[in-house]
Amino acid sequence: MPSGMDLPPRELASRLEGLLAFPLTPFTGEGRVNQELLRRQVDGLLGRGAVAVCPACGTGEFFSLSPVEYEQVLEACSAEVGGRVPIVAGIGYGTALACTYAEIAGRAGADAVLVMPPYLAQGGVEGMEAHYRAVARSTPLAVILYQRDNAVFDPAMVLRLAEEPNVIGVKDGIGQLERLHQIRRLVGDRLILLNGLPTAEIHAQALSFCGARGYSSAILNFMPEIAIAFHRAYGDGDEVAMRRLLDTAVLPFATIRNRRPGYAVSLVKAGARLRGIPVGPARAPLSEVTAEDERDLLGLLSTLGLDSPLLDAKERTRE
């Protein structure tokens, strides 16, 4: 099993300030992880310029994976990546389980872990700090703290956690600009900030001003043409091109995504299936896309000229 890039944490952090790929976890008709299809999906994401691959995170349905399935996902990604870019694996739940998943991630070839919110807990700043510090000290891997849902970070807590040498960054899924500015003011360049809001392209400019240059792109999984064009315009500071792509593609997609909870994953999976990637359904409790919403998504793809398969016919028949 590949052992990852073997980079020091701060050097690894410098590799994450670009387009971050969060692959879907494909399931077979029997509900098992489809490792072969996952490898082909990862290969496609790397071919589209992703600077890192982040398996088994929110888009990859970490919440639904057993420990065995989790390891299967990471092993498939690690085998395909082969040390070309960093692998950032999702971990989460309570402290003990998060540490266990970090151990599995390291064994399977990950370079870093993205620590998702602790399960349901509302323990205050002291308890949350103890949780993240314990996770960081349990692993030699680089650690990125994920602010979202019930994990809303006190900026001073982030500064204290930055004392842990393997804590390299904060991914934001909240979008509270003042809080992000305060974190940046305190930590300076010690930690990287990453934009992890749903359909992150919409928020790219605003969070960039807070210091979050890198962002996760869920639409890279099924609208790579749009994701790549937007990231190029973003890097060039081409506001006209960014606005055109937002108005014609990204915001119409977000309008459909906002119709039901869970569509941030299940609608992306529907989009992948419409582009010929048989990733299977999202797992419960996420809702499947309705027939009407899938028709609307197909209409958007057709209007954009993006209804051609992303896998060729030979690859599709290998399922």
Side-chain angles (χ1 to χ4, degrees), residues 124-312:
V125 173
E126 295 82 2
M128 190 173 291
E129 181 177 338
H131 168 74
Y132 289 111
R133 196 177 296 278
V135 172
R137 291 180 177 181
S138 77
T139 179
L141 300 177
V143 172
I144 300 170
L145 314 174
Y146 194 178
Q147 175 173 246
R148 59 172 291 175
D149 299 326
N150 60 305
V152 180
F153 297 159
D154 176 74
M157 181 196 79
V158 176
L159 177 62
R160 292 190 296 271
L161 288 171
E163 297 168 359
E164 300 296 328
N166 60 333
V167 172
I168 65 169
V170 172
K171 183 183 180 189
D172 179 66
I174 300 274
Q176 295 180 3
L177 300 187
E178 180 180 346
R179 189 177 298 272
L180 286 175
H181 280 300
Q182 293 285 11
I183 291 172
R184 169 58 66 205
R185 181 179 70 86
L186 290 176
V187 304
D189 294 330
R190 167 63 185 88
L191 303 179
I192 58 169
L193 294 181
L194 302 172
N195 171 4
L197 285 161
T199 316
E201 285 84 355
I202 295 171
H203 312 276
Q205 282 187 292
L207 266 68
S208 175
F209 189 64
C210 300
R213 289 289 301 169
Y215 63 84
S216 57
S217 178
I219 66 172
L220 187 64
N221 285 293
F222 77 102
M223 289 199 295
E225 301 90 342
I226 301 300
I228 292 167
F230 184 91
H231 190 261
R232 183 181 302 115
Y234 170 72
D236 293 340
D238 187 344
E239 295 189 5
V240 172
M242 282 189 282
R243 173 52 58 191
R244 175 177 54 80
L245 291 163
L246 286 173
D247 288 346
T248 59
V250 180
L251 289 169
F253 165 74
T255 297
I256 305 172
R257 184 208 68 208
N258 289 338
R259 291 176 184 173
R260 288 176 180 248
Y263 269 17
V265 175
S266 54
L267 192 66
V268 174
K269 275 199 154 180
R273 294 193 300 268
L274 290 171
R275 297 295 304 270
I277 307 176
V279 292
R283 282 180 169 175
L286 299 182
S287 299
E288 267 304 283
V289 174
T290 67
E292 178 184 0
D293 293 340
E294 185 166 316
R295 283 195 300 270
D296 288 348
L297 181 59
L298 178 59
L300 173 62
L301 292 173
S302 298
T303 298
L304 296 169
L306 302 180
D307 46 2
S308 59
L310 289 171
L311 294 180
D312 62 35

Side-chain angles (χ1 to χ4, degrees), residues 20-23 42 45-46 50-55 77 81 85-89:
L20 309 177
F22 283 68
V42 168
L45 292 168
L46 291 176
V51 300
V53 174
C54 307
C77 286
V81 169
V85 300
I87 295 175
V88 183

